[in-house]
Amino acid sequence: MFASFSLLLLIPIFIVGAAAIWLAGIQLSKTTDVIDSRFGLGEALGGLIILAIATNLPEIAIVVSASLTHNIGLAIGNILGGIAIQTVVLVVLDGFGLRRRAALTYQAASLQLVLEGVLVISVLVISIMGTQLPKSVIFARLAPGDLLIAVLWLIGLWLINKARHDLPWQEKGRAPDTSRPTQSRTQEKTQKWSTARVLIVFAIAALVTLLAGVVLEESSNAMAGQLGLSGVLFGSTVLAAATALPEVSTGLASVNIGDYHLAFSDIFGGNAFLPVLFLPATLLSGQAVLPQAQNTDIYLASLGVLLTAIYIYGLIFRPKRQILYLGIDSMVVLILYIVGIVGLFAIAGGK
């Protein structure tokens, strides 16, 4: 779309797209909070399904487009490569959203969030296992790994929803001294909107996120080409960062109103949902997608598992101590992500 544009023109296009996503993300966060309360979903489940899917609309568009054009490498890289950097969004929320108030995992501690993290790890492990199957294992445009991921995701959603009511723990699995959301004036105004208005604003914000996400993807792709970045490095850095902007925006908006569960669920929910996109990718392309994953894709998926596991430990142990405005778990995640990206460059450079 923007291949013929100069770098000087691509940069402002990218900035405008990022600004549109940022503003839309704020509306998505506020309206999701209202939808959760109106329909009784709860912060965790609302973030896991509604907000997570809405903020991943750019990734959905990229995967659909890549599958139809048989650019399987881009589809796989977008799904598996984006999970690690979306997990790092929690580091941003911890450092810039909470600052010295407390560590994010201390404030958000909930057994439902632990279950969501386990779901992320489960679908990623199935994805990694699916990469080892032969390409010929496909029937009626369906591959076993894709089906198992989708089924596991649905079962995970059911169990997490069940955990809202049936966990045999005090306060339904919520740590006793975690903060409850505090409404700002703008949030109070949003709560007074009619349900129809809330749904319309949510739909418009989701559409803006989708369109602006495509603009970000296309403009960043053109910039990467002019800067000489390889496909793997581009997908794991520039493209992954661009498509993570909705999560940053909605996450900061959620943290600002004290809805830490919604912020966490947006990230974990999006990461659990992304591998489900292998199913439509296989259906649209007519070929088994997962077995075509490269070493770098498997590497990034494994990095996503590691980073998610660290945050699960943080949610259980709830460390209060902070280092440079970050909880200990967020600092460990940041360091491991940097080390992981260095390793990614080493793998890509060794080919």
Side-chain angles (χ1 to χ4, degrees):
M1 186 183 301
F2 302 114
S4 61
F5 288 15
S6 67
L7 192 60
L8 290 177
L9 188 57
L10 288 171
I11 292 175
I13 290 175
F14 183 90
I15 293 174
V16 170
I21 280 184
W22 192 271
L23 296 174
I26 295 174
Q27 294 302 320
L28 283 175
S29 179
K30 291 196 299 183
T31 51
T32 299
D33 187 55
V34 178
I35 291 171
D36 293 346
S37 60
R38 296 276 173 90
F39 294 95
L41 295 176
E43 304 103 331
L45 196 61
L48 185 65
I49 302 175
I50 300 176
L51 192 57
I53 294 177
T55 53
N56 275 294
L57 284 173
E59 283 87 346
I60 295 173
I62 293 169
V63 170
V64 169
S65 174
S67 301
L68 289 173
T69 57
H70 299 284
N71 191 352
I72 303 303
L74 178 61
I76 298 172
N78 187 248
I79 294 172
L80 296 181
I83 290 175
I85 197 166
Q86 285 192 178
T87 307
V88 176
V89 169
L90 291 170
V91 176
V92 178
L93 303 185
D94 198 349
F96 293 95
L98 285 172
R99 294 186 176 272
R100 287 197 180 278
R101 276 181 279 172
L104 182 60
T105 47
Y106 182 85
Q107 294 283 50
S110 164
L111 289 180
Q112 290 182 49
L113 294 178
V114 172
L115 292 176
E116 291 179 21
V118 172
L119 179 58
V120 174
I121 291 176
S122 300
V123 295
L124 281 176
V125 169
I126 298 299
S127 300
I128 294 172
M129 294 170 66
T131 63
Q132 304 306 303
L133 295 173
K135 297 179 184 179
S136 58
V137 181
I138 183 172
F139 178 75
R141 285 178 173 256
L142 293 173
D146 307 335
L147 277 175
L148 185 56
I149 290 170
V151 171
L152 183 61
W153 181 69
L154 291 173
I155 293 174
L157 293 183
W158 177 75
L159 289 173
I160 291 167
N161 184 49
K162 184 178 174 65
R164 295 175 57 211
H165 310 289
D166 298 334
L167 280 180
W169 295 81
Q170 286 185 339
E171 295 206 8
K172 301 299 181 185
R174 186 195 295 267
D177 55 345
T178 49
S179 301
R180 301 302 194 269
T182 56
Q183 293 184 352
S184 63
R185 289 184 178 180
T186 55
Q187 189 66 10
E188 288 176 355
K189 291 180 180 179
T190 308
Q191 289 284 356
K192 295 178 181 178
W193 290 356
S194 67
T195 300
R197 182 180 178 183
V198 170
L199 293 175
I200 290 172
V201 172
F202 178 88
I204 293 173
L207 180 61
V208 171
T209 301
L210 172 60
L211 297 177
V214 173
V215 169
L216 279 182
E217 185 268 332
E218 293 289 344
S219 58
S220 59
N221 190 16
M223 285 191 293
Q226 295 191 26
L227 294 173
L229 281 176
S230 69
V232 171
L233 300 182
F234 161 71
S236 61
T237 54
V238 180
L239 182 57
T243 54
L245 278 176
E247 285 77 12
V248 176
S249 177
T250 55
L252 287 175
S254 299
V255 168
N256 285 336
I257 63 172
D259 203 341
Y260 308 114
H261 290 77
L262 183 61
F264 239 105
S265 284
D266 183 20
I267 302 302
F268 277 178
N271 287 349
F273 172 73
L274 277 176
V276 178
L277 296 179
F278 282 121
L279 181 58
T282 296
L283 287 170
L284 293 172
S285 65
Q287 52 187 303
V289 172
L290 270 172
Q292 300 184 52
Q294 303 296 314
N295 290 339
T296 49
D297 298 317
I298 299 172
Y299 176 88
L300 286 171
S302 303
L303 179 61
V305 169
L306 178 61
L307 302 185
T308 303
I310 292 170
Y311 272 123
I312 288 176
Y313 272 89
L315 288 167
I316 294 173
F317 285 96
R318 304 181 65 207
K320 280 188 174 181
R321 184 179 177 184
Q322 291 178 292
I323 303 173
L324 300 176
Y325 295 100
L326 292 176
I328 295 176
D329 40 22
S330 291
M331 180 60 72
V332 173
V333 164
L334 180 60
I335 292 172
L336 288 179
Y337 179 75
I338 293 172
V339 172
I341 293 301
V342 172
L344 178 67
F345 274 73
I347 294 173
K351 289 187 177 182

